[in-house]
């Protein structure tokens, strides 16, 4: 399978080119997340010299995001584009913004990094959802992201 075919998963049968661009963009986001986290896990394994099995739920976040990205690619391939975006956004917001604080508590580095993670998560909402075609989902996740950023 060619890389271009992976990017175009789920674009068959969709009429407008705007929808095709949005689907390809979501596939790129899923592949970027999967690729970056696999790269992180491989470099972590090389540096530490061993594969570390996640001991807590907080250390399993890269694995959760890799599985979620793969699931969302599969959902795009079978035509469930909105479900894929909703699942990815919920898992992303909860695992990147909420779980680290709930599990590890607040540390000195988190006072700076947590709001940055929240702002970046808000950008994923803008990239995945269209204001014109998915207005309710767009506004809902944007408000959730804003609340998480504001109360961080």
């Amino acid at each position: 399978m060619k890389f271009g075919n992976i990017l175009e998963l789920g674009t068959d049968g969709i009429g407008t080119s705007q929808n095709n661009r949005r689907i390809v963009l979501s596939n790129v986001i899923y592949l970027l997340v999967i690729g970056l986290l696999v790269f992180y896990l491989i470099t972590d394994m090389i540096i530490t010299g061993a594969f570390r099995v996640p001991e807590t739920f907080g250390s399993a976040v890269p694995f959760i995001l890799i599985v979620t990205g793969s699931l969302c690619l599969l959902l795009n391939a079978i035509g469930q584009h909105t479900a894929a975006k909703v699942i990815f956004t919920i898992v992303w917001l909860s695992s990147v913004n909420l779980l680290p604080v709930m599990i590890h508590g607040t540390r000195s580095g988190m006072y700076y990094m947590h709001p940055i993670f929240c702002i970046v998560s808000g950008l994923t909402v803008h990239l995945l959802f269209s204001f014109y075609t998915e207005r309710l989902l767009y506004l809902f996740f944007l408000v959730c992201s804003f609340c998480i950023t504001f109360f961080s």
Side-chain angles (χ1 to χ4, degrees):
M1 178 180 275
K2 294 181 182 177
F3 185 71
N5 293 344
I6 294 173
L7 292 180
E8 295 176 359
L9 281 175
T11 57
D12 295 340
I14 304 296
T16 65
S17 63
Q18 179 68 21
N19 283 339
N20 285 341
R21 283 194 299 255
R22 187 77 57 186
I23 293 166
V24 169
L25 179 63
S26 66
N27 288 340
V28 167
I29 291 171
Y30 306 147
L31 287 171
L32 274 174
V33 168
I34 292 168
L36 288 174
L37 289 174
V38 166
F39 177 75
Y40 164 75
L41 291 172
I42 289 172
T43 55
D44 185 50
M45 185 174 64
I46 291 171
I47 290 171
T48 60
F51 178 75
R52 291 189 282 173
V53 176
E55 299 168 2
T56 63
F57 189 68
S59 62
V61 168
F63 297 105
I64 293 169
L65 289 174
I66 289 171
V67 169
T68 303
S70 303
L71 173 70
C72 291
L73 282 173
L74 177 69
L75 286 172
N76 269 354
I78 62 173
Q80 300 296 320
H81 312 295
T82 305
K85 291 188 279 190
V86 167
I87 289 170
F88 185 80
T89 306
I90 289 171
V91 171
W92 180 267
L93 286 175
S94 62
S95 63
V96 172
N97 298 325
L98 299 176
L99 286 180
V101 174
M102 291 169 45
I103 292 172
H104 300 294
T106 55
R107 296 176 287 199
S108 59
M110 293 185 81
Y111 288 113
Y112 175 71
M113 292 306 295
H114 186 70
I116 290 176
F117 289 152
C118 294
I119 291 169
V120 169
S121 295
L123 293 175
T124 58
V125 173
H126 289 291
L127 290 173
L128 288 176
F129 295 99
S130 170
F131 180 73
Y132 299 108
T133 58
E134 302 158 330
R135 185 171 301 200
L136 291 176
L137 290 171
Y138 174 82
L139 291 174
F140 173 74
F141 285 118
L142 199 60
V143 167
C144 289
S145 178
F146 175 75
C147 290
I148 291 171
T149 305
F150 184 75
F151 292 111
S152 69

